[in-house]
Amino acid sequence: MRSRVALTLALAPAVLPVRATAQFLPAEVAQSLDVWYGRATRVAPGNWGIAITTADGRLLWAVNPNQPLAPASTAKIFTTGFARSVLGGQARIPTRVLGHGYVDPSTGAWIGPWALELNGDPTLDRAARSGPSLRQLATQLRAMGIRELRGGLALQSATGTTATAVPAAWGDRYPGQLYAPPIGAVALHENVVSLMVRPGRELDGAPELVWAIPAGWQALVRMDARTVDGAASRLRLDQTVDGGWVLSGTIGRWARPTGFASIAARPELVLEHAWAAALERAGIQWARDPVVLPAAVRPLVPIAQVTSAPLDTLASEVNRRSVNIGAEMLLRWAARGEGAGAGERLSAHVRAIVGPMARVRLADGSGLSPRDSVSPLTQALYLARAPRAANLAPLPLLLPKNGTGTLRGLGRGVLAPGVVRAKTGTLDSVAALAGYLGRREGVVIVSAIYNGARTRPAKRAQWELFRLLGANGVDLATAASQAQLGGDDAGRR
């Protein structure tokens, strides 16, 4: 059913009179929406759900607004809001070296037990992006006078468990994909490893390493490849059952350097070698042979520490790049746990914001679970009401603006910068787009979800919908727009 105004109270918290609707959607715009929808269903037949509301949640135009649909990565909107409501925008994830002992002044050896504490910071040890590093931790130890560590790596986590694995809620469809790495306390370089090799200097010689990220993990790669004559590269990188990798095939001596990326199936192994490399670069020897260390008479305490950027910065990047490991860690951080309980708490958060008409079921924080579902009206009402809830006034600005991240192509040449703040969602059978759009008449909220086989044309149609509504848009970052979305003090009410 489609309607611009004549919707029953079961579909919306309020029904606008025709004259009020015209203030936000003039008759010609509403007619254009009808034409757009007819075209969209022709190029992308399937299940469509659309809700367009005012900033205070009054429904303006809809298609099946109460139909639960798979939201894909637009579920990250809820995860962002939940995490901020619980933790606040300035919360940070620490990574620490714990210990109890002292530095031997004659040898520089640390005398006493020690451990690494990792808490799932997905920005840890990212060479090409911002974030803290293991090398910074090692440098702090060296500044204390430590020149030697003894004993194997002990791992702890303030989250209660150091287990890192692919979430059960994702099913068996996505494991092994670069966008679906293991999730848990150990999160190094987003649990993706990469390297680049070049031809060896001699024929039949092994390829030479150009770089590896994180540094040190290349020790887990068995080199079965060789250099041959010519310029072709026929290399492949495969994981082994023990958590390592094997590089096989051939590379021509005139070939260009070749790069590879892979999921770290056992991140704790990568961590051990990355920590060894960080210590070595800091000038600290690590004797990893098993030794009997003195038992701690008191709990281990931090002796070196680095932290993530504030939660708001993490959430903005999660939404801008649609980082699944980041979204899952935000959920676990806020829910203080994993599994079904975290998804239930996230769903309860959405229902608390939206009210009794919410139709939502979330099993994970990233939108990869086949069990996730939400109605377009629930999503639109969440976007409308969340900025008026505690700690959530800045939520609109935690979403990427058009022209950046996954929205970099939206409105190119049509929409002015900053007119849209929204989140995309894309899976094999899902195309979704939800967020805020600034119009001269006021802020409009749009949730458009498509479930079906024609996701590419559906995505193009959704972007066309935003361009249609925002052709004469205004920047959402203006003070007037912010006042419509809850104002600076909305989160304190």
Side-chain angles (χ1 to χ4, degrees):
M1 180 185 68
R2 283 182 294 140
S3 174
R4 294 190 294 273
V5 178
L7 294 166
T8 65
L9 288 174
L11 294 183
V15 178
L16 291 176
V18 174
R19 60 182 181 277
T21 301
Q23 296 175 3
F24 289 91
L25 290 183
E28 62 273 16
V29 174
Q31 292 171 2
S32 297
L33 291 175
D34 291 339
V35 173
W36 165 85
Y37 180 68
R39 185 167 57 249
T41 54
R42 287 194 298 273
V43 300
N47 294 322
W48 281 89
I50 304 164
I52 302 175
T53 76
T54 60
D56 58 1
R58 290 172 291 170
L59 196 60
L60 299 174
W61 192 93
V63 173
N64 301 323
N66 279 326
Q67 181 178 356
L69 296 167
S73 282
T74 61
K76 293 181 175 69
I77 295 172
F78 306 129
T79 305
T80 297
F82 175 51
R84 199 181 200 284
S85 69
V86 173
L87 302 166
Q90 296 304 308
R92 297 172 183 263
I93 302 175
T95 302
R96 303 180 173 110
V97 180
L98 307 177
H100 179 72
Y102 62 94
V103 180
D104 186 327
S106 61
T107 64
W110 174 259
I111 307 301
W114 63 277
L116 276 182
E117 181 195 281
L118 269 68
N119 298 304
D121 180 1
T123 69
L124 181 65
D125 244 38
R126 301 190 306 178
R129 300 184 185 275
S130 61
S133 69
L134 294 176
R135 188 180 181 186
Q136 290 172 330
L137 282 178
T139 300
Q140 291 179 34
L141 297 182
R142 188 66 179 85
M144 294 171 55
I146 297 176
R147 299 195 298 276
E148 181 183 354
L149 285 178
R150 299 172 181 172
L153 177 62
L155 186 61
Q156 296 187 14
S157 178
T159 64
T161 175
T162 60
T164 301
V166 174
W170 288 357
D172 57 2
R173 190 169 186 176
Y174 305 110
Q177 301 295 327
L178 292 179
Y179 57 80
I183 309 297
V186 181
L188 209 62
H189 193 247
E190 299 179 6
N191 282 343
V192 173
V193 294
S194 57
L195 59 76
M196 178 172 284
V197 296
R198 63 191 176 198
R201 298 185 181 184
E202 298 180 359
L203 290 178
D204 287 328
E208 296 181 352
L209 179 72
V210 179
W211 49 256
I213 302 174
W217 83 273
Q218 67 272 17
L220 294 168
V221 180
R222 187 177 78 240
M223 283 288 185
D224 284 354
R226 62 190 183 92
T227 304
V228 298
D229 201 11
S233 178
R234 297 184 178 88
L235 297 173
R236 58 179 295 168
L237 183 69
D238 297 300
Q239 291 208 31
T240 58
V241 294
D242 61 356
W245 290 262
V246 57
L247 184 68
S248 59
T250 60
I251 183 170
R253 60 177 173 174
W254 310 115
R256 294 181 177 180
T258 303
F260 298 91
S262 177
I263 291 297
R266 294 183 59 187
E268 71 280 3
L269 294 180
V270 175
L271 170 66
E272 182 174 358
H273 289 279
W275 179 234
L279 291 172
E280 182 179 2
R281 295 181 69 177
I284 299 175
Q285 294 182 343
W286 182 16
R288 282 185 275 181
D289 296 334
V291 296
V292 178
L293 296 173
V297 295
R298 286 179 289 182
L300 303 184
V301 297
I303 58 176
Q305 174 174 304
V306 293
T307 63
S308 70
L311 185 146
D312 278 354
T313 301
L314 300 181
S316 294
E317 183 179 357
V318 164
N319 289 323
R320 185 178 69 254
R321 293 178 48 225
S322 206
V323 186
N324 293 316
I325 186 174
E328 296 297 342
M329 291 316 304
L330 286 178
L331 173 59
R332 295 186 183 194
W333 189 14
R336 296 178 176 85
E338 57 181 300
E344 290 169 1
R345 288 195 62 186
L346 178 59
S347 301
H349 163 77
V350 177
R351 288 191 287 268
I353 296 293
V354 173
M357 65 185 308
R359 296 188 177 184
V360 60
R361 183 181 64 177
L362 299 169
D364 69 339
S366 58
L368 289 182
S369 173
R371 300 199 302 271
D372 293 336
S373 67
V374 66
S375 73
L377 184 57
T378 298
Q379 193 168 60
L381 291 178
Y382 182 87
L383 288 166
R385 294 172 178 172
R388 294 170 171 81
N391 285 334
L392 291 182
L395 178 65
L397 299 184
L398 298 181
L399 303 179
K401 61 183 178 180
N402 57 299
T404 64
T406 58
L407 295 180
R408 57 185 173 273
L410 177 58
R412 188 174 295 157
V414 178
L415 298 181
V419 169
V420 174
R421 293 275 183 166
K423 182 73 192 74
T424 60
T426 306
L427 292 173
D428 291 342
S429 59
V430 181
L433 183 59
Y436 306 89
L437 191 150
R439 291 176 54 86
R440 293 176 182 175
E441 300 87 356
V443 174
V444 169
I445 294 171
V446 181
S447 171
I449 305 175
Y450 167 83
N451 288 183
R454 302 295 302 278
T455 54
R456 288 189 177 182
K459 180 178 180 179
R460 289 193 294 268
Q462 289 165 354
W463 286 31
E464 181 185 353
L465 170 63
F466 271 68
R467 288 193 291 266
L468 187 157
L469 290 170
N472 297 311
V474 297
D475 191 338
L476 278 166
T478 62
S481 292
Q482 285 303 294
Q484 296 176 51
L485 293 171
D488 292 339
D489 62 346
R492 295 193 290 269
R493 292 204 297 270

